[in-house]
C-alpha cells in the first residue's frame, strides 16, 4: 500500500539548510519517508538567513552536572500563543538520569515554543521533571533581542525570584 502525504512548510522555503534536521510526525499508524539524492539542492544565495530582528529567542537548559536538556522560546509576530507551526513537540527520554524541561501550549508539551510578540508582564510556565533526585542547574544560555527587558525565573516551590539577566545560573535540589 502506498500513501502520499503533503509536506507543509507554511511560510518557509522548501529548503532545509545543510547540517540541519527536520521532524516527521504521523497522526496514527506507521509510515515511511523516503528521500533521494535527486532531492538535494545547492544554493548560490542564502535565502534562509533570517533577519536579525525577526525573532526574539530565549534558550534555557537544565543540567544535573552530567546530562542536560534544553527549552527554546521563540517570539515571532507570525506565531500565536497556542499550538502552531512555530512549535515542536517534546519527545521525552526514558533515561532516568536525564532531567527534562518543557512548556505547554494547548495541552501539548513542547521543546520549542513559538509565541507572538512578548508582553512584558507575561509569565510563561516552565515545567521540570526528573526521575532521579539530586542537585540541578538551570541556566539561561541565550536571550537574543531582549535589550531593555529583564528576564526572571520564579521558583514556585521555594517562592524565589531570580533575575536571569544578571545571574544566568540557578542551582536547586529536587526529590
Amino acid at each position: 500500500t502506498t500513501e502520499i502525504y503533503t509536506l507543509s512548510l507554511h511560510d518557509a522555503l522548501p529548503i532545509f539548510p545543510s547540517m540541519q534536521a527536520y521532524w516527521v510526525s504521523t497522526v496514527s499508524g506507521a509510515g515511511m519517508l523516503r528521500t533521494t539524492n535527486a532531492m538535494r539542492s545547492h544554493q548560490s544565495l542564502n535565502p534562509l538567513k533570517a533577519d536579525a530582528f525577526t525573532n526574539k529567542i530565549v534558550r534555557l537548559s537544565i543540567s544535573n552536572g552530567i546530562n542536560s536538556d534544553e527549552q527554546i522560546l521563540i517570539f515571532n509576530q507570525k506565531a500565536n500563543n497556542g499550538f502552531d507551526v512555530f512549535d515542536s513537540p517534546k519527545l521525552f527520554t526514558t533515561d532516568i538520569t536525564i532531567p527534562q524541561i518543557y512548556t505547554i501550549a494547548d495541552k501539548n508539551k513542547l521543546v520549542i515554543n513559538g509565541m507572538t510578540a512578548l508582553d512584558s508582564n507575561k509569565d510563561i510556565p516552565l515545567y521540570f521533571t526528573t526521575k532521579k533526585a539530586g542537585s540541578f542547574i538551570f541556566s539561561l544560555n541565550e536571550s537574543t533581542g531582549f535589550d531593555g527587558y529583564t528576564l526572571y525565573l520564579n521558583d514556585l516551590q521555594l517562592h524565589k525570584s531570580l533575575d536571569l539577566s544578571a545571574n544566568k545560573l540557578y542551582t536547586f535540589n529536587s526529590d
Side-chain angles (χ1 to χ4, degrees):
T1 304
T2 301
E3 297 181 42
I4 299 173
Y5 298 92
T6 301
L7 177 63
S8 178
L9 297 173
H10 304 276
D11 291 334
L13 295 170
I15 303 168
F16 297 104
S18 62
M19 306 305 290
Q20 296 297 308
Y22 54 91
W23 294 79
V24 176
S25 177
T26 61
V27 176
S28 64
M32 182 181 298
L33 175 68
R34 290 191 179 113
T35 60
T36 67
N37 288 339
M39 295 174 174
R40 293 181 182 178
S41 173
H42 298 281
Q43 306 296 313
S44 59
L45 300 174
N46 188 357
L48 301 171
K49 183 165 176 58
D51 179 0
F53 301 102
T54 301
N55 295 321
K56 292 182 179 186
I57 299 172
V58 174
R59 192 176 300 264
L60 308 159
S61 67
I62 190 76
S63 173
N64 59 11
I66 299 169
N67 298 302
S68 64
D69 190 29
E70 191 168 68
Q71 172 69 47
I72 300 171
L73 306 174
I74 298 174
F75 299 91
N76 183 304
Q77 292 179 344
K78 292 182 180 179
N80 67 54
N81 291 335
F83 185 71
D84 65 7
V85 298
F86 289 87
D87 301 321
S88 183
K90 173 76 174 175
L91 298 178
F92 289 90
T93 181
T94 57
D95 186 336
I96 66 168
T97 66
I98 299 176
Q100 299 181 86
I101 57 175
Y102 59 96
T103 57
I104 295 177
D106 295 339
K107 299 181 182 178
N108 295 285
K109 295 177 182 178
L110 306 173
V111 65
I112 300 173
N113 190 348
M115 295 168 275
T116 192
L118 180 63
D119 175 355
S120 62
N121 294 315
K122 181 180 176 82
D123 287 339
I124 301 168
L126 181 66
Y127 299 89
F128 164 76
T129 184
T130 185
K131 295 185 179 179
K132 189 171 183 182
S135 179
F136 299 91
I137 302 166
F138 182 88
S139 60
L140 173 64
N141 300 333
E142 178 184 355
S143 59
T144 301
F146 285 92
D147 297 334
Y149 285 90
T150 303
L151 303 174
Y152 291 96
L153 173 67
N154 297 311
D155 185 330
L156 300 179
Q157 293 286 343
L158 299 177
H159 307 289
K160 288 184 180 181
S161 184
L162 175 73
D163 178 353
L164 287 176
S165 304
N167 185 0
K168 300 186 182 327
L169 300 176
Y170 176 62
T171 302
F172 64 97
N173 292 309
S174 181
D175 297 334

